């Protein structure tokens, strides 16, 4: 056997790198001891390998995070429930939450590997969404870059209609809409002024392309109701959603809330009747029926 053949046979194959990586991370975690060394060798042998790029992203993204806690006088922080409640020196409740600090340099390295993976396979939707998630977690209450990444993804979807895949399976238009809605809700749950604006901007952008989507009409109603405190505008959006999907329980329930705030028994009775008709949960249906029966026994306004 020649020296060339010996060297060729000794070279680690792509599958061997995958197997070693899975074994190592399964025992020690995504950023465990030895993982970086293995990934460096993998990159040297297969510099554009998609699995390697994704693995390096996961390594640096995990490594760059340090878990800690933060305190607030608010009962929610970045969509989280508190892990602990104490009192300050004046007896006021202080709430504690899990929080993560990020090493900027390592976070940048994580994104660079993910961007290389996305350039190589731009239609691999889970990686495109992973970028949005990483930016959202990193930016916390000011998700400007995450918003830009999601906006670019939406624009690309409707401009060039990529053949998206997720976990190797094709993604159709309805599934894409569902993924976008999941991220809208993530922005909403953060609960900051900037995240509410991101929630609004994405919803408005989606309505430009999907004007008959009850999901994004609901979002605009919720933005108007919760952030703008504009009951009239909220009701307008919810009514549009109900014309498209009469059993839209998000719209129906919020319309009941608005009707009560406005003191309009007539409107409340209208939406309670819809809840009785369309609610899937028996408890919700019965509760609406009891309230409707009570209102029907009083003088409507």
């Amino acid at each position: 056997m020649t020296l060339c053949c010996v060297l060729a046979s000794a070279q680690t194959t792509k599958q061997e790198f995958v197997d070693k990586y899975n074994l190592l991370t399964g025992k020690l975690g995504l950023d465990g001891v030895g993982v970086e060394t293995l990934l460096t060798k993998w990159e040297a042998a297969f510099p554009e390998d998609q699995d390697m790029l994704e693995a390096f992203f996961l390594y640096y993204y995990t490594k760059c995070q340090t878990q800690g806690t933060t305190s607030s006088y608010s009962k929610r922080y970045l969509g989280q429930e508190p892990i602990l409640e104490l009192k300050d020196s004046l007896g006021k409740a202080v709430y504690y939450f899990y929080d993560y600090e990020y090493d900027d340099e390592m976070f940048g390295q994580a994104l660079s590997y993910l961007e290389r993976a996305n350039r190589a396979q731009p239609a691999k939707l889970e990686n495109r969404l992973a970028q949005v998630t990483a930016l959202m977690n990193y930016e916390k209450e000011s998700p400007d870059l995450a918003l830009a990444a999601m906006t670019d993804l939406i624009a690309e979807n409707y401009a060039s209609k990529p053949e998206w895949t997720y976990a190797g399976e094709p993604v159709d238009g309805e599934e894409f809409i569902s993924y976008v809605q999941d991220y809208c809700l993530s922005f909403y749950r953060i609960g900051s002024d900037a995240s509410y604006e991101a929630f609004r901007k994405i919803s408005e952008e989606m309505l430009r392309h999907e004007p008959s989507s009850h999901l994004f009409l609901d979002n605009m109603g919720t933005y108007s109701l919760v952030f703008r405190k504009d009951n009239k505008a909220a009701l307008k959006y919810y009514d549009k959603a109900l014309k498209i999907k009469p059993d839209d329980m998000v719209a129906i329930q919020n319309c009941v809330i608005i009707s009560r705030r406005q003191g309009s028994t007539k409107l409340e009775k209208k939406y309670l009747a819809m809840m009785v008709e369309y609610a899937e949960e028996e408890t919700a249906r019965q509760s609406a029926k009891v309230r409707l029966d009570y209102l029907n026994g009083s003088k409507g306004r």
Side-chain angles (χ1 to χ4, degrees), residues 70 98 151 267 292:
T70 190
Y98 287 123
T151 302
L267 274 182
L292 183 60

Side-chain angles (χ1 to χ4, degrees), residues 10-249:
Q11 184 178 7
T12 305
T13 67
K14 154 69 185 290
Q15 189 57 50
E16 286 174 330
F17 276 118
V18 171
D19 292 342
K20 289 179 181 179
Y21 172 78
N22 288 336
L23 180 64
L24 191 59
T25 56
K27 291 181 178 180
L28 301 176
L30 295 171
D31 63 340
V33 175
V35 173
E36 184 179 16
T37 299
L38 175 63
L39 292 177
T40 300
K41 292 178 180 178
W42 189 353
E43 183 175 22
F46 302 94
E48 299 303 323
D49 183 71
Q50 185 77 11
D51 290 331
M52 176 275 298
L53 294 172
E54 293 172 10
F56 244 135
F57 160 70
L58 291 173
Y59 170 78
Y60 279 117
Y61 183 61
T62 305
K63 194 78 172 176
C64 76
Q65 301 179 51
T66 303
Q67 187 184 58
T69 59
T70 190
S71 62
S72 173
Y73 286 110
S74 172
K75 287 187 177 182
R76 295 186 72 83
Y77 172 70
L78 301 180
Q80 299 179 68
E81 297 287 344
I83 57 173
L84 181 66
E85 177 184 345
L86 297 174
K87 302 290 185 182
D88 67 10
S89 59
L90 299 178
K92 189 175 181 180
V94 180
Y95 302 95
Y96 290 82
F97 306 85
Y98 287 123
D99 197 15
Y100 289 88
E101 294 299 324
Y102 289 81
D103 181 284
D104 294 339
E105 183 178 351
M106 282 194 285
F107 181 78
Q109 288 176 299
L111 281 189
S112 70
Y113 277 102
L114 185 57
E115 287 166 358
R116 284 172 60 188
N118 286 338
R119 285 195 296 271
Q121 294 189 22
K124 193 170 184 179
L125 188 57
E126 63 263 46
N127 285 348
R128 302 292 296 276
L129 294 175
Q131 183 176 11
V132 180
T133 299
L135 289 167
M136 186 184 300
N137 292 338
Y138 176 75
E139 295 181 293
K140 300 181 181 180
E141 294 177 316
S142 302
D144 299 329
L145 294 175
L147 169 61
M150 179 56 75
T151 302
D152 289 345
L153 189 64
I154 293 168
E156 181 179 342
N157 178 70
Y158 289 100
S160 57
K161 301 188 182 303
E163 294 183 357
W164 301 115
T165 63
Y166 195 104
E169 297 296 324
V171 174
D172 63 24
E174 287 303 313
E175 289 173 312
F176 182 85
I177 289 172
S178 178
Y179 284 125
V180 175
Q181 175 65 351
D182 287 343
Y183 278 84
C184 278
L185 297 179
S186 294
F187 282 117
Y188 176 81
R189 292 189 189 105
I190 291 172
S192 66
D193 288 357
S195 70
Y196 281 135
E197 285 302 317
F199 174 72
R200 175 187 66 81
K201 289 176 181 178
I202 294 173
S203 299
E204 286 183 335
E205 181 64 19
M206 286 301 293
L207 284 172
R208 285 202 317 110
H209 302 288
E210 305 286 346
S212 296
S213 172
H214 71 96
L215 293 173
F216 300 107
L217 287 168
D218 282 348
N219 288 355
M220 291 305 300
T222 300
Y223 171 82
S224 300
L225 179 63
V226 175
F227 186 68
R228 296 287 300 276
K229 312 296 183 187
D230 188 338
N231 292 332
K232 184 178 179 180
L235 198 63
K236 180 180 177 181
Y237 282 115
Y238 289 135
D239 278 337
K240 284 184 179 180
L242 288 169
K243 288 179 181 178
I244 295 165
K245 192 175 188 294
D247 62 346
D248 182 347
M249 289 306 299

